[in-house]
Amino acid sequence: MSQIIDGRAIAQQIHAETAACVATLKSRGIQPGLVFIRVGEDPASQVYVGMKEKKSAELGFRSTTLVLPADTSEAELLARIDGFNADPSWHGILVQAPLPHPIRQATVYARVAPEKDVDGFHPVNVGKLLLGDTDGFVPCTPGGVHELLIRSKIPTEGAEVVVLGRGNIVGKPMSSILMQKGRTANATVTVVHSGSRDVVAHCRRADILIAAMGVPEFVKANMVKPGATVIDVGVNRIPAPGTPSGTRLVGDVAFAELQSVAGHITPNPGGVGPMTIAMLLANTTRAAEQQSR
Ligand code: GUN
């Protein structure tokens, strides 16, 4: 049987470390401040931002949530970001994706001041990650997967890592993190995507398989080397007749059939999800520290 990687417990450790940082900052008269911006009424974004707000309040952050109507112009959104960039009492700014059409996500993320970009989506932070400059901010979900591996003592040096998916939020930054030099990375990373041949053969070579392509239960038992570590980043809503909502959430990994194959595996929910919030709040305390120097 696989060992379960308990994302909730590991996130809790990180929250405790963050709470200690918040206390230190407060003793210096600084309360870390985090702005959430949501545009339109995407139900998943409402839930995610709500969870982030709640946890930030629990840990002693100051926060505000700006909710803008779905027909907000890009210019209006950029002007609101400029306002928060200019206000030194806000240390972090998070614009929840997805943004409604025709707002250009890349334009919006490039407008957040890089030192307040606790999501790690600004081109400066993307570039720093690729260059191995640890001053920047690393996107929260792949940063959280990295912490899960480190704190579960899963060796990455020389390991064959396969990342399924090449998205800007997870796949690309995940591959950058694990290919860097250093004891907690130094992996041989293969990124498998919709243009890849021999997907199963790539996956079967992996010591660590990270699924982030958004296909329900894509990773099956025949795709995993016995003893490999399997990390499920997927959140997919699929039809489920007879349930109250008519849908249910599944990951990118067929968890049940992998439990007799994988060495370590993340449950879903309770694996990667809680880590995203933990990394966001850790990034925000670091932003507050850097800005108060
Ligand atoms: N939408 C899905 N994941 C994320 C994330 O990590 N940050 C933001 N801002 N939006 C998201």
Side-chain angles (χ1 to χ4, degrees), residues 3 23 40-41 51 74 81 100 105 158 176 179 181 189 194 196 212:
Q3 218 164 309
E41 299 303 329
M51 289 180 347
E74 186 181 283
I81 292 171
Q105 201 158 295
S176 301
M179 76 163 81
K181 280 195 175 165
V189 182
S194 54
S196 298

Side-chain angles (χ1 to χ4, degrees), residues 94-165:
L94 179 146
V95 185
Q96 185 69 26
L99 292 167
H101 183 79
I103 296 176
R104 293 167 298 175
Q105 201 158 295
T107 305
V108 170
Y109 286 130
R111 193 67 159 248
V112 175
E115 67 275 14
K116 297 190 180 189
D117 170 39
V118 289
D119 252 333
F121 294 162
H122 188 285
V124 163
N125 286 316
V126 176
K128 283 185 174 178
L129 171 57
L130 202 57
L131 292 168
D133 177 345
T134 55
D135 267 7
F137 292 105
V138 172
C140 302
T141 301
V145 171
H146 192 210
E147 282 296 325
L148 284 180
L149 296 173
I150 293 169
R151 292 177 192 240
S152 304
K153 303 198 162 38
I154 291 161
T156 56
E157 282 207 274
E160 294 283 341
V161 173
V162 170
V163 178
L164 284 163

Side-chain angles (χ1 to χ4, degrees), residues 137-221:
F137 292 105
V138 172
C140 302
T141 301
V145 171
H146 192 210
E147 282 296 325
L148 284 180
L149 296 173
I150 293 169
R151 292 177 192 240
S152 304
K153 303 198 162 38
I154 291 161
T156 56
E157 282 207 274
E160 294 283 341
V161 173
V162 170
V163 178
L164 284 163
R166 57 176 157 187
N168 291 336
I169 294 183
V170 185
K172 282 182 200 166
M174 189 78 252
S175 62
S176 301
I177 291 168
L178 291 172
M179 76 163 81
Q180 297 299 326
K181 280 195 175 165
R183 201 177 41 79
T184 64
N186 229 2
T188 304
V189 182
T190 304
V191 180
V192 170
H193 48 73
S194 54
S196 298
R197 284 189 279 124
D198 300 333
V199 172
V200 173
H202 283 297
C203 292
R204 284 191 65 84
R205 282 207 337 268
D207 301 308
I208 301 172
L209 182 59
I210 302 172
M213 79 295 216
V215 179
E217 299 185 330
F218 179 83
V219 176
K220 303 282 199 296

Side-chain angles (χ1 to χ4, degrees), residues 16-83:
E17 293 162 17
T18 298
C21 291
V22 172
T24 306
L25 282 162
K26 283 187 173 168
S27 72
R28 294 167 45 205
I30 300 152
Q31 183 177 21
L34 178 54
V35 177
F36 300 100
I37 303 176
R38 203 156 59 61
V39 187
E41 299 303 329
D42 176 59
S45 293
Q46 289 174 353
V47 172
Y48 289 139
V49 172
M51 289 180 347
K52 292 172 189 178
E53 280 173 325
K54 182 164 170 275
K55 202 70 202 179
S56 66
E58 265 174 49
L59 296 191
F61 288 69
R62 177 171 162 257
S63 78
T64 188
T65 302
L66 173 63
V67 180
L68 296 170
D71 63 356
T72 301
S73 71
E74 186 181 283
E76 166 70 12
L77 175 56
L78 296 177
R80 302 301 288 258
I81 292 171
D82 289 344

